[in-house]
Amino acid sequence: MNGAKSLVETLLKSGVDTCFANPGTSEMHFVAALDQSVGMRCVLGLQENVVTGMADGYYRMKGKPAATLLHCGPGLANGLANLHNARRAKSGIVNIVGDQATYHRPLDAPLTADADGLARAVSAWVRTSARSADVGRDAAAAVQAARASQGQIATLILPSDTSWDEGGVVGDALVVPASPTLDPFAVQNGGAVLRTQKNVLILLAGRAALGASQALAWRIAQATGATLMADFVTGHVQRGRGRLQLERVPYNTDMAVQTLARFEHIILVNAKPPVGFFAYPGKPSKQYSERAQLHVLTRDDQDGEAALQALVDELGAPSAAIPDPGARPDVVTGAPTPEGLAQTLAAVMPDNAIVSDESVSYGRGFYKNTYAAPAHDWLHLVGGAIGAGLPLATGAAIGAGGERRVINLQADGSAMYSLQALWTQARERLPVTTILLNNRKYSILIGEYHAVGAAPGPTAMSMLDLGNPNLEWVKLANGMGVEAARATTLEGCADLMRQSFRQSGPFLIELMI
Ligand SMILES: Cc1ncc(C[n+]2csc(CCOP(=O)(O)OP(=O)(O)O)c2C)c(N)n1
């Protein structure tokens, strides 16, 4: 057995059965080994940032890591932005990076690069296999690292001779270490704060924003009068009927400061203290009050749900029914508005849908009008590196087994970073409806100009304009095998959504906003 075959067999034995790939010469033996082993689903992405973003979306829905296959340092570098996003979302991913053969590396051939250095920027675990006999052992350790601490990025770099040399040994699956244990003092302290203090905020992030944690947090809130919110940067929120009407801390610094001003105690559950995405002249970096005391119930590598359960027990908080969000709204008609689109989405969304939200400026208020939608999962961009929405939607569809409709709320500028994901959606016949929000500009940056106190002139404004020439989204989608149509009204958009939900494959709606 060569090293490559031992790699594929070890991944399968460790429970990794999906590989998002963009291969090159140094990965040819891995690709060949895929034909010799049964059970590995391989999905081709046409740019590495699509590959890594798909692996992120897959993990968020499946709760277990996929592998990526990337070509040398430059291939890894292309995938770094979405690995950055995945790291911040606490997604477990096993990157396999093929590299120059051990003896070829000193010759400084063209694709030789510091793959190790690039990997370290985003990975919790990095290793380069030295010989074929080590590949299986190293791959098992990579999977273990990817599953540890509530999900991490692990990168295994394989010089090509470690793949083609004989002597491969299949590695045994390794036990995943439990997450760092809860701090009983943090639970006790949280209980004391909640019992004795007013103006307490419980801030949820990470997997503490999923349904089971919400139900526990709601019991605590009902018993103590605390307020619940989700952090703005939360990767995965379960929403709709049966879930809490949870608002996120606003993106806008002034609004965030205003929202958080009244809280004297903030209990952080997998959340970090809320700070602005950026600093702005004359504005605070920290969005919470200077008087507020922060209490870390759990860090993001700990189990927030278990901590909330411990807090429920500490407080003896009784069961509490999740409030009813009211009647499901109707489709809105006329020209698109953010509120109208959110309401229309809530009106037509199928049960158990997944929303991949990279709507950027247009989607800031989508939550309010979608509480009464059927239960659904909502995925956000947490690392701020745009170009995640389309790959996330694609990977999420695969992670959900192709059985749930994915609705991608996608701003046009961000879509252009990774639009190749549409081709993978078509090839894999994935049930993804992309609502492409076409405003032909980098709208958010116009607001940011004003926020930093800069005065944009015509040259500056032309840097934010995507209208010269216009991007033709129906043609772009069709060119990658995805059916598409344009809508200029909300009722038109609703009709196309319904039509797309009846089909099994992908569909793109270009909504002119
Ligand atoms: C990787 C990366 N490159 C650049 C940026 C800077 N950036 C933030 S938002 C944005 C434009 C977003 O435009 P669009 O997706 O059309 O959304 P809109 O602003 O129109 O709502 C850019 C370029 C970023 N956040 N990440």
Side-chain angles (χ1 to χ4, degrees):
M1 181 186 308
N2 64 17
K5 170 107 167 125
S6 75
L7 169 64
V8 177
E9 291 294 333
T10 303
L11 290 173
L12 287 168
K13 208 170 170 182
S14 304
V16 175
D17 59 9
T18 303
C19 178
F20 297 99
N22 188 267
T25 308
S26 44
E27 296 79 42
M28 280 304 140
H29 283 79
F30 180 90
V31 175
L34 293 169
D35 274 319
Q36 295 155 21
S37 301
V38 185
M40 183 67 77
R41 177 172 185 185
C42 297
V43 179
L44 180 60
L46 299 187
Q47 209 269 8
E48 290 85 349
N49 213 36
V50 173
V51 170
T52 54
M54 289 194 291
D56 183 1
Y58 175 92
Y59 182 88
R60 294 201 208 178
M61 295 320 301
K62 191 85 176 177
K64 70 170 192 171
T68 68
L69 183 63
L70 306 167
H71 181 53
C72 300
L76 171 61
N78 274 344
L80 281 184
N82 273 336
L83 285 174
H84 159 86
N85 289 325
R87 181 178 76 83
R88 294 225 161 235
K90 295 285 298 159
S91 288
I93 297 177
V94 179
N95 296 311
I96 307 293
V97 181
D99 209 351
Q100 302 291 359
T102 49
Y103 55 85
H104 200 62
R105 194 180 174 86
L107 306 180
D108 200 30
L111 273 158
T112 309
D114 184 5
D116 186 272
L118 291 163
R120 281 188 197 284
V122 291
S123 310
W125 182 102
V126 182
R127 190 179 292 176
T128 303
S129 291
R131 54 196 185 116
S132 58
D134 296 344
V135 170
R137 180 200 68 188
D138 293 344
V143 178
Q144 182 188 41
R147 300 179 82 145
S149 298
Q150 305 278 309
Q152 311 189 108
I153 313 281
T155 303
L156 178 59
I157 300 166
L158 295 182
S160 51
D161 48 338
T162 67
S163 287
W164 69 55
D165 278 351
E166 292 298 311
V169 181
V170 179
D172 284 331
L174 300 176
V175 175
V176 181
S179 295
T181 47
L182 304 180
D183 175 356
F185 176 72
V187 175
Q188 229 173 43
N189 174 63
V193 167
L194 285 158
R195 263 194 298 265
T196 60
Q197 304 294 320
K198 290 201 186 65
N199 300 323
V200 181
L201 171 67
I202 302 176
L203 190 63
L204 308 172
R207 269 174 287 288
L210 300 184
S213 291
Q214 288 181 24
L216 294 165
W218 181 242
R219 285 170 69 173
I220 296 166
Q222 287 299 93
T224 63
T227 302
L228 302 176
M229 287 193 86
D231 192 2
F232 180 78
V233 283
T234 299
H236 185 174
V237 184
Q238 289 185 316
R239 311 189 59 252
R241 198 161 291 279
R243 276 77 180 260
L244 286 184
Q245 294 165 52
L246 201 59
E247 272 297 333
R248 288 194 300 161
V249 176
Y251 169 83
N252 175 280
T253 285
D254 294 331
M255 285 166 67
V257 167
Q258 200 186 346
T259 304
L260 297 176
R262 71 186 173 92
F263 297 110
E264 289 161 21
H265 295 269
I266 303 179
I267 297 179
L268 300 164
V269 193
N270 291 18
K272 299 199 172 105
V275 299
F277 258 58
F278 304 102
Y280 299 97
K283 293 187 182 179
S285 286
K286 295 174 183 168
Q287 296 174 330
Y288 48 94
S289 156
E290 274 179 20
R291 291 174 295 116
Q293 289 183 32
L294 302 173
H295 308 275
V296 179
L297 182 68
T298 44
R299 300 185 310 263
D300 66 358
D301 61 346
Q302 293 175 299
D303 184 344
E305 185 186 328
L308 288 165
Q309 180 64 62
L311 203 46
V312 162
D313 297 342
E314 167 82 15
L315 291 160
S319 303
I322 301 283
D324 187 281
R328 190 169 178 176
D330 292 325
V331 167
V332 179
T333 56
T337 61
E339 299 73 24
L341 176 60
Q343 194 176 318
T344 302
L345 179 67
V348 301
M349 185 192 281
D351 287 350
N352 215 17
I354 299 164
V355 175
S356 169
D357 181 356
E358 194 173 45
S359 52
V360 191
S361 63
Y362 203 69
R364 295 279 184 250
F366 279 170
Y367 266 27
K368 243 191 301 304
N369 295 295
T370 47
Y371 287 128
H376 58 272
D377 290 74
W378 197 293
L379 309 182
H380 290 285
L381 172 67
V382 281
I386 58 174
L390 281 152
L392 264 186
T394 312
I398 294 171
E403 280 155 21
R404 296 173 62 180
R405 176 56 55 172
V406 181
I407 301 164
N408 179 194
L409 304 171
Q410 184 58 56
D412 55 348
S414 301
M416 283 304 291
Y417 287 65
S418 50
L419 77 170
Q420 303 92 328
L422 291 170
W423 180 87
T424 302
Q425 290 175 13
R427 169 184 252 224
E428 301 287 328
R429 301 227 31 86
L430 298 173
V432 182
T433 302
T434 303
I435 302 179
L436 195 290
L437 305 166
N438 193 349
N439 60 8
R440 296 188 178 141
K441 48 181 173 280
Y442 285 164
S443 187
I444 186 176
L445 297 184
I446 297 171
E448 295 288 315
Y449 258 121
H450 298 299
V452 297
T459 307
M461 285 307 282
S462 80
M463 294 296 105
L464 312 181
D465 169 30
L466 306 181
N468 180 25
N470 287 338
L471 292 158
E472 297 294 342
W473 279 99
V474 173
K475 287 186 192 167
L476 288 167
N478 287 165
M480 283 179 280
V482 173
E483 213 184 312
R486 178 180 282 187
T488 54
T489 62
L490 287 171
E491 65 272 27
C493 185
D495 286 343
L496 289 171
M497 277 197 257
R498 289 197 190 97
Q499 177 190 324
S500 77
F501 301 157
R502 285 193 293 269
Q503 297 175 201
S504 56
F507 194 94
L508 182 141
I509 302 165
E510 181 186 34
L511 182 64
M512 307 308 291
I513 55 166

